Amino acid sequence: MKIFLDTANIKEIKDAVDIGIIDGVTTNPSLIAKEQGCDFKEVIKEICGIVNGPVSAEVIALDWENMVKEGRELAKLNNHVVVKIPFTRDGVKATSILAADGINVNVTLVFSPNQALLAAKAGAAYISPFAGRLDDIGHDGLEVVQQCQDIVSAYDYDTEIIAASIRTTTHVLDCALMGIDIATIPYGVLMQMFKHPLTDIGIEKFLSDWKKTQQ
Ligand code: G3P
């Protein structure tokens, strides 16, 4: 499974990329807003310089003409840029147009497998179902992610599923066990994945035993 980092924080991205386990980055307007005072396009360019993989940058327009216009401008920033477009009728139309131009699109705010089917047919390179936000309203978010994955895999669409709105290490584990193409993970969740108390206890014990051999 590919691991993307779901953040626009340069420090977090540098730190995780440095470990050598990050395949890409996703941002959205809320994540950009958290990085106070940053210039959106400059941040995207900077992220592209750090990550050797796709970097999603989201359009703000809601009508297809301006989505296409913004998408083309974002795609010019760097060849790592993936244009992120919200799933709406206009969004699907803009996706078809941008995909025909050879621009990679990540269709976001997907909450049902039928939405994923339409995004795949429009030529989306990536489709992002939101697990956590479905869980928030009492649905099974990961079941929807799995259904989206099953549809694109069954018909061999040239599309990868990105499990988004990942909140816990259990979400990540379930995605990996289900064979989801990509999980985009907040930095905090990624850091939790490193931790296991038995690893810490094991290191302590190895070191104390080693010290005994040096006396
Ligand atoms: O990848 C989408 C993500 O940023 C949304 O996460 O936690 O706001 O639902 P959340």
Side-chain angles (χ1 to χ4, degrees):
M1 183 174 74
K2 291 181 196 164
I3 292 183
F4 287 6
L5 205 57
D6 197 26
T7 182
N9 183 286
I10 297 293
K11 200 165 157 269
E12 291 178 350
I13 294 168
K14 278 187 177 158
D15 184 52
V17 166
D18 195 46
I19 304 168
I21 49 163
I22 296 302
D23 300 296
V25 166
T26 52
T27 70
N28 62 40
S30 306
L31 293 172
I32 296 282
K34 274 193 197 169
E35 306 310 311
Q36 289 187 350
C38 77
D39 178 280
F40 171 50
K41 288 186 178 168
E42 287 308 314
V43 170
I44 294 298
K45 280 200 267 184
E46 192 173 353
I47 297 172
C48 289
I50 302 167
V51 185
N52 189 20
V55 174
S56 291
E58 191 157 339
V59 301
I60 299 303
L62 294 177
D63 61 287
W64 68 266
E65 289 99 332
N66 283 307
M67 283 174 162
V68 169
K69 192 167 165 264
E70 266 185 59
R72 286 182 175 142
E73 282 164 14
L74 289 172
K76 278 187 207 144
L77 294 178
N78 188 291
N79 60 11
H80 288 167
V81 167
V82 171
V83 176
K84 207 171 184 192
I85 294 201
F87 183 93
T88 57
R89 272 180 57 148
D90 278 57
V92 171
K93 180 166 177 173
T95 300
S96 304
I97 294 167
L98 290 169
D101 281 359
I103 292 174
N104 287 332
V105 175
N106 174 1
V107 175
T108 189
L109 291 171
V110 166
F111 293 97
S112 80
N114 273 337
Q115 290 179 326
L117 173 61
L118 297 176
K121 291 195 69 69
Y126 303 93
I127 298 172
S128 297
F130 276 39
R133 291 194 195 180
L134 281 162
D135 291 350
D136 288 346
I137 60 160
H139 290 236
D140 184 344
L142 288 177
E143 187 183 14
V144 171
V145 173
Q146 177 73 79
Q147 289 168 340
C148 294
Q149 183 72 60
D150 288 348
I151 289 169
V152 302
S153 301
Y155 294 97
D156 220 10
Y157 285 114
D158 202 8
T159 301
E160 286 180 280
I161 294 296
I162 304 179
S165 189
I166 293 288
R167 305 273 177 77
T168 62
T169 54
T170 308
H171 270 157
V172 180
L173 173 61
D174 287 340
C175 285
L177 291 172
M178 292 185 319
I180 305 305
D181 296 316
I182 303 162
T184 190
I185 306 175
Y187 179 82
V189 173
L190 182 72
M191 290 303 120
Q192 282 170 19
M193 289 167 67
F194 280 93
K195 292 193 195 322
H196 198 292
L198 290 179
T199 306
D200 297 339
I201 291 166
I203 289 172
E204 219 171 277
K205 173 96 174 87
F206 283 155
L207 279 180
S208 69
D209 287 345
W210 176 254
K211 275 181 195 152
K212 285 179 207 157
T213 70
Q214 304 300 300
Q215 283 161 4

